[in-house]
Amino acid sequence: MGAGQRRGHLRWELSRNCSPRRRVLRGGGCAWVTSRPGAVEIDSCHPLPVTLTQLSASRRQNIFTAGLRDGNIEACRRVSTNNLQTPRLTLSPRQLPQLGCSFPGTGGSGLRSGVETDALSVPPVFPLSCVVQQYAWGKMGSNSEVARLLASSDPLAQISEDKPYAELWMGAHPRGDAKILDNSILQKTLGQWIAENQDCLGSKVKDTFNGKLPFLFKVLSVETALSIQAHPDKELAEKLHLQAPQHYPDANHKPEMAIALTPFQGLCGFRPVEEIVTFLTKVPEFQFLTGDDAATQLKQSLSRDSQAVASALQSCFSHLMKSEKKVVAEQLNLLVKRISQQDCVECMACSDNTVRAGLTPKFIDVPTLCEMLSYIPSPSQDRLFPPARSQEDPYLSIYDPPVPDFTVMKMEVPGSITEYRVLALDSASILLMVQGTVTASTRTAQATISLKRGGVLFIGANESVSLKLTLPMDLLMFRACCLL
């Protein structure tokens, strides 16, 4: 077919084993997308003449037979193009999905005039370059695991020793949309790619979360205390976003789960009341900020029901959090404070809603935080979330919290294993390599992907990945997904 005949045609890849290079020609109300042989050229007229060129004989026969089975598809005569015998079919736009294609009005991602599109019928696997957040509480320079992972995965990365590297964001959040490290993919970021390829999320995830990746995967490197904070549920998030969108940027809830990479300490929830009463007695600075009346109310609640305990606990906490900054500083100067340095991976719903009440230069909303908390005291061990061991994979541990948005998998593979298969899931997922060096391959990719410490891989739904160890070193990997 000559160049003049190409204008007004769309070349759509059908082969599963391709990574097409695309460019867009604007003209005739259509876009023409180039790729390697094994494609379909689609004219924008109705009905659409489809010429199947340079396909294997078996693939031609499969597609031609599929056309013959549908009474609405007219099988046309075979024609010779460049000495290749090619069947010619006439299709209406709504019949294109039978060939794994879509067009305006036919469902799927569709094609728009002059707009680049990804036409792969199978969700691909590709590496990501992820966003670093330099919050003040993060570890400095190369002391940070976030910085070390970044430097290991990207030899060109420049680590500033005088800057904090607090969080590595792996996902499609608007404030940290990961870049795609594959020049054959038109979209530059993961969020853009998912928007045009929503089927990669998996059918259940796509329908439940309106075509969006529901989780945000992170690595945290903590030097100093994070802010005193809590995250709103769905109902409160919608209310806060409506009232103050500049401080609460979305209407989503933000359940979180952290998995330690190094020895890690965190404060979560409220201690048993008996322990709090003991500290009120032994730490006078604590009782000073709480106030004598609130402290007495809490001590008296020990002999009463859970509702009285919750009310007394809320009174104590609210008095503490609403103390004047100067008074708090004076009392803190009387105490010896030790801060642990620690690293973890964290996963959460894709939200950036945080209600803060102290230890931060950011917006503080003490009344909302004091009002929104659940004042249910419990031992610290009750806050731990143990993983479940996989029945299918001896190297896999699964952290599956009681929220629909995310699940995290931990894979610890001994260096004696030469090849490890990452199982296919009915969910898009993001894989982080914390330790080890492998080459990754899939049944749909033409080339392997080198993956080493700090490397991040996006894996489309229903796609398995084979990892071949290039060094006899134990692997440590974490994978975030959504198991509905």
Side-chain angles (χ1 to χ4, degrees):
M1 181 178 287
Q5 294 172 286
R6 285 174 174 163
R7 181 178 293 274
H9 282 69
L10 292 168
R11 191 171 178 84
W12 193 317
E13 184 64 57
L14 279 181
S15 172
R16 294 162 64 89
N17 300 308
C18 67
S19 181
R21 183 176 68 252
R22 310 169 185 80
R23 62 185 175 86
V24 173
L25 303 178
R26 302 173 187 272
C30 284
W32 182 66
V33 185
T34 66
S35 69
R36 69 181 187 80
V40 177
E41 293 181 359
I42 305 173
D43 196 289
S44 64
C45 64
H46 300 269
L48 303 173
V50 179
T51 303
L52 309 177
T53 60
Q54 301 179 354
L55 296 173
S56 67
S58 61
R59 183 171 291 279
R60 283 188 233 154
Q61 183 61 41
N62 288 342
I63 295 175
F64 195 52
T65 303
L68 290 172
R69 284 200 300 265
D70 190 322
N72 295 322
I73 298 179
E74 178 190 353
C76 301
R77 64 183 179 84
R78 292 175 177 268
V79 296
S80 176
T81 304
N82 297 331
N83 298 322
L84 290 173
Q85 293 296 317
T86 60
R88 187 174 180 84
L89 308 179
T90 301
L91 308 176
S92 66
R94 63 183 177 82
Q95 293 164 327
L96 285 174
Q98 298 176 46
L99 299 183
C101 304
S102 61
F103 206 73
T106 67
S109 61
L111 299 177
R112 298 187 295 274
S113 174
V115 178
E116 302 163 323
T117 183
D118 180 13
L120 289 175
S121 60
V122 176
V125 175
F126 45 80
L128 299 173
S129 174
C130 300
V131 174
V132 170
Q133 304 290 1
Q134 295 183 306
Y135 302 137
W137 49 260
K139 290 184 182 179
M140 304 296 286
S142 56
N143 287 326
S144 166
E145 178 70 357
V146 169
R148 293 193 294 264
L149 289 171
L150 178 65
S152 177
S153 64
D154 181 5
L156 299 179
Q158 299 291 323
I159 304 302
S160 300
E161 296 299 331
D162 59 346
K163 292 183 178 179
Y165 291 78
E167 295 187 353
L168 180 68
W169 283 25
M170 298 168 282
H173 192 280
R175 288 189 57 238
D177 198 358
K179 294 181 180 179
I180 297 174
L181 297 178
D182 188 332
N183 292 331
S184 70
I185 296 176
L186 275 129
Q187 293 83 5
K188 300 303 181 184
T189 71
L190 180 60
Q192 293 171 356
W193 190 87
I194 290 174
E196 295 294 327
N197 299 272
Q198 295 181 11
D199 287 343
C200 77
L201 296 170
S203 57
K204 292 182 180 179
V205 177
K206 173 186 172 183
D207 293 342
T208 303
F209 295 98
N210 300 314
K212 302 289 182 64
L213 189 70
F215 59 82
L216 178 60
F217 200 22
K218 294 183 180 182
V219 176
L220 274 63
S221 283
V222 182
E223 176 99 25
T224 60
L226 278 68
S227 62
I228 300 171
Q229 61 180 248
H231 302 297
D233 59 17
K234 280 271 193 181
E235 183 179 357
L236 181 58
E238 292 172 357
K239 178 182 176 181
L240 294 175
H241 178 61
L242 188 63
Q243 292 176 345
Q246 71 276 24
H247 299 307
Y248 303 105
D250 57 71
N252 198 15
H253 66 166
K254 194 183 177 185
E256 294 181 330
M257 178 173 63
I259 304 172
L261 292 174
T262 60
F264 196 96
Q265 293 180 340
L267 300 178
C268 180
F270 293 96
R271 296 175 179 270
V273 174
E274 293 83 0
E275 294 183 15
I276 298 175
V277 169
T278 299
F279 284 117
L280 285 170
T281 303
K282 292 185 176 181
V283 184
E285 296 86 359
F286 180 33
Q287 177 155 340
F288 183 89
L289 293 174
T290 301
D292 292 338
D293 292 342
T296 300
Q297 181 186 356
L298 185 64
K299 293 173 184 177
Q300 293 174 346
S301 72
L302 287 171
S303 59
R304 302 177 63 186
D305 58 23
S306 59
Q307 186 174 352
V309 170
S311 177
L313 190 54
Q314 181 174 1
S315 178
C316 280
F317 184 74
S318 298
H319 275 85
L320 175 65
M321 297 312 301
K322 294 176 182 179
S323 299
E324 294 183 12
K325 290 184 178 180
K326 179 181 178 181
V327 176
V328 173
E330 291 172 350
Q331 295 300 314
L332 284 177
N333 287 335
L334 301 175
L335 299 174
V336 177
K337 185 170 71 170
R338 292 187 301 168
I339 302 295
S340 296
Q341 296 184 8
Q342 45 210 2
D343 306 287
C344 70
V345 296
E346 184 179 58
C347 198
M348 63 195 65
C350 192
S351 170
D352 199 33
N353 279 326
T354 303
V355 183
R356 301 176 179 88
L359 302 179
T360 178
K362 297 180 181 180
F363 174 71
I364 290 176
D365 189 352
V366 173
T368 297
L369 185 132
C370 293
E371 179 66 28
M372 67 183 282
L373 297 180
S374 297
Y375 291 92
I376 304 174
S378 65
S380 58
Q381 59 266 28
D382 290 355
R383 302 289 177 174
L384 299 178
F385 190 83
R389 299 294 299 184
S390 170
Q391 299 298 314
E392 303 176 32
D393 183 343
Y395 310 119
L396 176 64
S397 300
I398 303 173
Y399 296 84
D400 191 18
V403 294
D405 306 70
F406 59 86
T407 296
V408 175
M409 299 179 175
K410 179 181 180 181
M411 291 156 281
E412 298 174 285
V413 183
S416 57
I417 302 297
T418 58
E419 185 172 359
Y420 176 75
R421 182 164 293 277
V422 179
L423 299 176
L425 302 171
D426 187 23
S427 165
S429 60
I430 294 176
L431 184 143
L432 167 68
M433 180 70 68
V434 177
Q435 178 179 301
T437 304
V438 301
T439 55
S441 61
T442 73
R443 58 189 175 87
T444 61
Q446 287 182 305
T448 59
I449 300 171
S450 178
L451 197 63
K452 55 186 178 180
R453 174 171 156 79
V456 180
L457 203 63
F458 175 83
I459 304 174
N462 305 306
E463 190 78 9
S464 64
V465 180
S466 175
L467 303 179
K468 291 187 177 180
L469 280 70
T470 55
L471 294 173
M473 178 189 302
D474 293 351
L475 302 182
L476 174 60
M477 298 171 287
F478 291 90
R479 182 187 188 187
C481 58
C482 179
L483 300 182
L484 296 177

